[in-house]
Amino acid sequence: MRNNTKLTDNSKRKTVGWFTDIDGLISGLFADHNKLFLQLNDLRYVVDERTTAKTEILNVNGQRKFSLFDETSLIASFKYSVEIAFNHIPPVEYLDDDEFDWGLFLSNIINNASRKTEFINNNS
């Protein structure tokens, strides 16, 4: 995951989350007022119990596709690249694959109720 930045809004409202720039697309996952949101540029999506996500590998060169669904309807998607990790040794051994793959990171939180709650509690 390149260019990932944790941002904190120091205004009266507390909004904290993870944001990244993917080829000019600003993508972010953040919590606000005990709700989870996915932001893609100027569009903001509420991530609730009806929301699911899918990450697909498009080719062997690291091209991926992230898709966001409201029940069965596709509501957003974007393509992105992941550096191929042949012989890649992570800086610490407890990192998971989703530490390097933004779409997988998003999917793993969006699709897992306990991780979603933990993210909201830690960032809201």
Side-chain angles (χ1 to χ4, degrees):
M1 256 189 298
R2 291 178 288 137
N3 295 331
N4 292 346
T5 307
K6 187 166 184 175
L7 299 178
T8 304
D9 180 352
N10 291 324
S11 65
K12 293 179 185 179
R13 291 178 46 189
K14 185 177 179 188
T15 305
V16 181
W18 290 91
F19 298 84
T20 191
D21 181 328
I22 302 170
D23 297 327
L25 171 74
I26 301 300
S27 171
L29 186 68
F30 66 94
D32 187 22
H33 291 97
N34 293 318
K35 292 183 183 176
L36 187 62
F37 295 88
L38 176 69
Q39 183 153 344
L40 302 174
N41 284 336
D42 295 334
L43 299 174
R44 189 174 292 176
Y45 304 94
V46 176
V47 176
D48 58 20
E49 64 279 348
R50 298 179 329 199
T51 310
T52 59
K54 180 179 177 182
T55 304
E56 301 172 72
I57 298 172
L58 299 178
N59 61 44
V60 294
N61 296 324
Q63 187 75 20
R64 310 281 166 96
K65 180 180 179 184
F66 171 83
S67 300
L68 185 70
F69 299 89
D70 182 12
E71 294 183 338
T72 58
S73 300
L74 177 67
I75 54 176
S77 69
F78 61 87
K79 292 181 182 176
Y80 64 100
S81 295
V82 173
E83 290 183 31
I84 299 175
F86 297 116
N87 299 321
H88 175 41
I89 300 171
V92 288
E93 59 187 63
Y94 59 82
L95 293 179
D96 294 325
D97 287 341
D98 68 359
E99 297 290 331
F100 303 101
D101 183 329
W102 178 247
L104 186 59
F105 171 77
L106 295 174
S107 293
N108 285 344
I109 292 174
I110 291 168
N111 293 333
N112 183 310
S114 62
R115 283 191 74 178
K116 194 181 316 182
T117 300
E118 181 181 353
F119 188 92
I120 292 168
N121 290 340
N122 288 333
N123 295 291
S124 190

